[in-house]
Amino acid sequence: MDLIKWITEQQAAELIDRSPRTLRKWRTRGEVTAYRQAGIRGLVLYDTHSLRECAATQAMRLHENVGRPPS
């Protein structure tokens, strides 16, 4: 059984080599599992497994669209 490991936004950005802004976009779109900590202003925690899956999906999409004209 895999346990969920929660990390901060900065740790998450470093883990997958993306910016915190990108993580916020993914979170807003529901593409990554995140939890906003009640009572602590601005603290958002990310599920590491979800982050890795989302980053892999994004990389695959980018690879598939290389060389295609914009729609």
Side-chain angles (χ1 to χ4, degrees), residues 4-28:
I4 295 175
K5 181 176 178 188
W6 298 97
I7 57 176
T8 66
E9 188 168 72
Q10 187 59 44
Q11 291 169 326
E14 291 171 9
L15 177 70
I16 60 169
D17 197 26
R18 300 294 195 290
S19 72
R21 183 175 183 201
T22 296
L23 296 178
R24 288 189 287 272
K25 282 197 276 188
W26 292 354
R27 186 178 78 232
T28 300

Side-chain angles (χ1 to χ4, degrees), residues 59-69:
M60 187 173 58
R61 285 181 188 161
L62 179 64
H63 179 72
E64 290 172 352
N65 291 321
V66 170
R68 291 186 183 174

Side-chain angles (χ1 to χ4, degrees), residues 21-43:
R21 183 175 183 201
T22 296
L23 296 178
R24 288 189 287 272
K25 282 197 276 188
W26 292 354
R27 186 178 78 232
T28 300
R29 294 180 193 155
E31 296 176 2
V32 66
T33 303
Y35 172 77
R36 184 175 291 275
Q37 180 68 41
I40 303 175
R41 183 184 163 123
L43 179 62

